[in-house]
């Protein structure tokens, strides 16, 4: 998969892209991530990309033409195809794991980062296919959101994670959060690892994972649990657990 990121701050994006799992995934050829400096597509001497908003108001707005030329240049470099363009904006649909899964199936993807007060609406209308927000708050620029989206999508690309299963069985798959995790030592500060995890009994371990996922989701994200598919037996078990904990706290 190839992801092109259009930004005024490629350095901010580059630093993160080279690190850890995503860095290795690029070296091994599973994903290609390219940043593009929108400023390079200006035609004025000062390489200025922003201007005052028509109608007045605070702040500056990024001009349409450099954004458009940057987009055209990317399309040319990938054989004139027109990939989906995801504009990072607080006005978009809130990003989630399902969106990441859907986007990870694209061969090419462009992420567009705004800055200042945003980008001239006319170019957005021309090139943007998806408006995506990372949450109901306003950041100074689209670089952090683009990194969030890029990271989430990249780790879903087959081959990026060494263990193909780890992306399948984690939080938000099946609308459940992941179960708690433990590693060595077996005892730390007097706290022991749950014995079932040391038993080597795979069926019991899988059952424990499932129960813990359900319990954790009920406590931390009851909204998610409403969408999860539980058996009647699991529902009864959960009610008993929650009632038991309530009694314990009284
Ligand atoms: N004036 C814009 C508005 O009210 O919608 C906000 C502009 S914001 C200061 C500058 C840029 O940061 C946006 O164009 C967008 O690319 C990015 N941005 C800010 N918050 C974001 C969020 N929650 N999700 C995605 N992108 C965001």
């Amino acid at each position: 998969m190839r992801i092109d990121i259009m930004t005024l701050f490629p350095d901010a994006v580059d630093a993160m892209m080279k690190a850890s799992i995503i860095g290795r995934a690029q070296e091994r050829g599973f994903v290609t991530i390219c940043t593009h400096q929108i400023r390079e597509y200006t035609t004025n001497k000062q390489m200025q990309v922003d201007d005052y908003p028509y109608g007045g108001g605070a702040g500056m707005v990024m001009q349409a033409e450099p954004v458009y030329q940057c987009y055209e240049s990317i399309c040319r470099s990938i054989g004139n195809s027109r990939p989906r363009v995801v504009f990072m904006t607080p006005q978009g649909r809130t990003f989630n794991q399902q969106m990441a899964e859907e986007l990870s199936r694209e061969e090419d993807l462009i992420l567009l980062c705004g800055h200042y007060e945003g980008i001239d609406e006319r170019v957005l209308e021309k090139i943007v296919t998806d408006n995506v927000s990372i949450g109901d708050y306003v950041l100074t620029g689209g670089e952090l959101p683009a990194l969030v989206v890029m990271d989430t999508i990249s780790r879903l690309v087959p081959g990026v994670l060494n263990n193909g299963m780890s992306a399948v069985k984690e939080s938000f798959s099946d609308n459940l959060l992941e179960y708690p995790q433990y590693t060595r030592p077996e005892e730390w500060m007097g706290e022991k690892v749950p014995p079932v995890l040391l038993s080597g009994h795979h069926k019991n371990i899988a059952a424990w994972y499932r129960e813990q996922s359900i319990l954790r989701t009920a406590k931390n994200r009851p909204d998610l649990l409403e969408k999860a598919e539980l058996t009647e037996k699991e529902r009864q078990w959960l009610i008993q657990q929650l009632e038991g904990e309530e009694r314990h706290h009284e």
Side-chain angles (χ1 to χ4, degrees), residues 58 60 62 87-93 112-119 124 132-146 149:
M60 303 293 271
M62 286 169 66
F87 177 42
M88 310 314 311
T89 166
Q91 301 180 24
R93 271 173 63 209
L112 170 59
C113 308
H115 225 86
Y116 314 116
E117 280 316 304
I119 302 181
L124 298 178
V132 171
S133 163
I134 60 160
D136 288 347
Y137 40 81
V138 179
L139 296 149
T140 52
E143 287 70 25
L144 282 172
V149 170

Side-chain angles (χ1 to χ4, degrees), residues 182 186 192-199 208:
Y182 301 87
E186 272 182 42
K192 291 193 173 126
V193 170
V196 62
L197 299 182
L198 309 174
S199 67
W208 186 86

Side-chain angles (χ1 to χ4, degrees), residues 8-121:
L8 289 176
F9 297 92
D11 291 351
V13 180
D14 285 341
M16 188 68 200
M17 270 167 28
K18 293 194 182 106
S20 183
I21 294 173
I22 306 302
R24 277 204 305 278
Q26 289 193 83
E27 280 163 21
R28 288 155 62 211
F30 291 115
V31 281
T32 305
I33 299 158
C34 306
T35 49
H36 303 267
Q37 170 57 275
I38 297 171
R39 207 175 286 286
E40 281 174 15
Y41 297 87
T42 50
T43 48
N44 62 75
K45 260 201 201 130
Q46 302 77 23
M47 297 182 94
Q48 191 181 336
V49 282
D50 56 321
D51 213 327
Y52 293 100
Y54 280 120
M60 303 293 271
V61 175
M62 286 169 66
Q63 291 173 305
E65 185 63 11
V67 173
Y68 186 69
Q69 289 307 332
C70 182
Y71 162 76
E72 282 292 338
S73 161
I74 295 170
C75 292
R76 278 196 298 276
S77 71
I78 52 173
N80 276 328
S81 71
R82 304 270 148 184
R84 279 166 80 172
V85 177
V86 179
F87 177 42
M88 310 314 311
T89 166
Q91 301 180 24
R93 271 173 63 209
T94 309
F95 189 57
N96 61 23
Q97 195 69 19
Q98 279 78 31
M99 280 163 91
E101 277 161 20
E102 194 225 323
L103 291 171
S104 73
R105 290 193 277 273
E106 299 290 321
E107 209 167 301
D108 298 300
L109 195 64
I110 298 178
L111 305 183
L112 170 59
C113 308
H115 225 86
Y116 314 116
E117 280 316 304
I119 302 181
D120 189 307
E121 191 66 22

